[in-house]
Amino acid sequence: MAHADLIAPRHDTGTPAAAKSERLPVVLSIDDKAVNLRVIEVVLEPLPCQVVSLGSGEEALKYLLTQPVSVILLDVSMPGMDGYEVAMLIRGRRQTRSTPILFITAAMCEEQDIQRGYSCGAIDYLVKPFDPLTLRSKVRLLLEYDQQKRQLLSAYQRLDEQRDYYQSLLSSAGEGVIGVSPDGIVRFANPATQNLLGMSAEHLVGYPIQQLFHESDRATDWDSSPFAIACRDNVEVLHEETMLYPPGRPPLPVSLRCSPMGGQQQGLVVIFRDIRQQLETESQLRQQALTDYLTGLLNRNGFTIMLEKVLSHAERSHQGLGLLFLDLDRFKEINDRLGHKVGDIVLQQVAERLRGCLRREDHIARLGGDEFIIILEQLESPDRAAYSAQRIIAALEPPLQIDDDAITIRASIGIATFPDCGRTVTSLMEAADVAMYRAKEDGHHLYHFFTTEMNQRVQERLRREQQLRQALVEQQLFLLYQPQQDLHNGRLVGIEALLRWQPPGQPVQAAGTFLPQLEENGLIVAFGERSIELACRQRAAWLVEGWLDSACPLSINLSARQLADDKLPGKLDYMLKHYGIPPALIELEFHEAALDQHNTKVIENLHCLGMMGLRLALDDFGSELGELTILRRFPISTLKIGQALVKTLADSPRDQAIITATAQLTRALGIRLLAAGVETPAQRELLQALGIPAAQGHSIAKPMTPGELAARFDRR
């Protein structure tokens, strides 16, 4: 979303805002986060400039097509077009080629990143969080540079005018120069004019100048033309873009200046420049502002313009219209496993397959990432939209062959129709988006129509998300602690910290009721960090009390996103030092499903955490395949038998044999083994008989507060 409309131009008392803003140089701030834009507005408030804030590179390119700018502050990392791409396009345009660009990035730049930025046209870098005084000083200097440049250009313009006066009838190397008599007849044409118009000097001299500005050969009235008026009134005529019509040749677009001769001379000097290349470049920039650079499809900006146009036509003609919102299933896994270069090729090939599924009157766009959206015009019935969705799903069935990899692609599609699901761009897109998520919930590789019931569900989901955000701010989260007990002597051998949420006026909610939504909206990392902080604080308190010995670790659950977070080791190191906890007292627990062995960051994090002395626990053993390979590759300290396997033990001699062998293997490897989800005394006795040393579950003890835990277990 553009933020320029949120910023009122500053003006002095008694001075109209419009007049003031026209005199102020413009600083263009480009960032996809509104809070960053607002910070820059506040920092630059004291400077004599107007700050225009925009939320994407596409919007900035569109703005620069029509508005002059003195300084550009450009975020490097943005969805869609990043800062490097935007800078290159800005440098490719004549009007903005010399506009200074200051990159603002949220991460420390490597040398190659800095060199790339300079090659794209940046003059400097600032790293977030930046010093406000530094930014203000740099922008002040750039504004002064811009003012000096404008003064210099003004001086050059005056010199050009003098040159044109004294050398008006001399040959010009690049521009066309024509000398015209007071009655509109060409008296001189330099070589450039002859080349551009394809007319010889003999043909041009004596030719009526007015005929070059009209397609027909019919004589025109010179006396009423703007050029004759300019000659009589001694004024200059400027045309940034006009057409010349040389006889027998295609029309020639030019910029033109017509000046009366001075002194004893009578007549006009017409100077023109071929702007075909300029117009082509500007056309390309307009196209790039509407087109996805990777696939050649419409981008989000181009799609919005197209949908507004199509909606207007559908409203007038009373025709139906369909919107298909398509999201590739598990595309992140392809990027993580094979790299972003292969991911880009996948997106390009998917775009080609989608093109092949559509009619000539349909439109397709890539909104960013792995999201595509399709407009179906002249939709006779919703069945037609369903048929198109089926064709797309079928077209994506055959694996993509990229080098030696056969890549299977699946997609979830949400369908919204006009006018049933909405009458505006926003309402239709929201409806299609909601329907797409319903298709994902139903099992992926499906399509789903938007319904009123789904709208109610999305409103509930948004309300729930707001409650979860408030839970972080208002500290509604707390931990309960479930003991892990030795099955032979009853001794406490470990404790698992379990996250709970207490919404105001509602019952306590277990993590399983809200963790899926946290994973979906990205809040899982923040909740995980809060859980780590609460657990470390409690373990430090127990350490001071001397209540638990060093052989009793406190287990903290990690999500898949946390495990892939490159900042995880640093955050844990800070917590351990802040609370004075030996690393061996903390155990980090995760499911194998979170252990993406193709993700180098996950692998690096696990080995780094092991080297820090933290214990690592693999949870839910028996629910997935490949655990033994994990035990060999990673420094696992604890193996937890999953509840699903515990429930089937009594009726499965094969599972009993697996558990017995696992107990022997973990003893040999020095890995702690315990069973989770032990719900009955019979399960407890069977596990003990099979050689399982420890367990947790409601048969052992329910999750409890620190006070309840201390009352249940003594200090031994």
Side-chain angles (χ1 to χ4, degrees), residues 52-73:
V52 174
S53 299
L54 297 177
S56 70
E58 291 87 345
E59 294 176 58
L61 292 173
K62 184 177 179 181
Y63 182 89
L64 289 169
L65 288 173
T66 59
Q67 303 297 328
V69 170
S70 298
V71 180
I72 298 174
L73 307 180

Side-chain angles (χ1 to χ4, degrees), residues 389-407:
Q390 290 169 353
R391 287 191 62 190
I392 290 170
I393 290 174
L396 295 178
E397 285 281 356
L400 304 175
Q401 191 65 41
I402 301 177
D403 296 331
D404 296 330
D405 294 305
I407 301 174

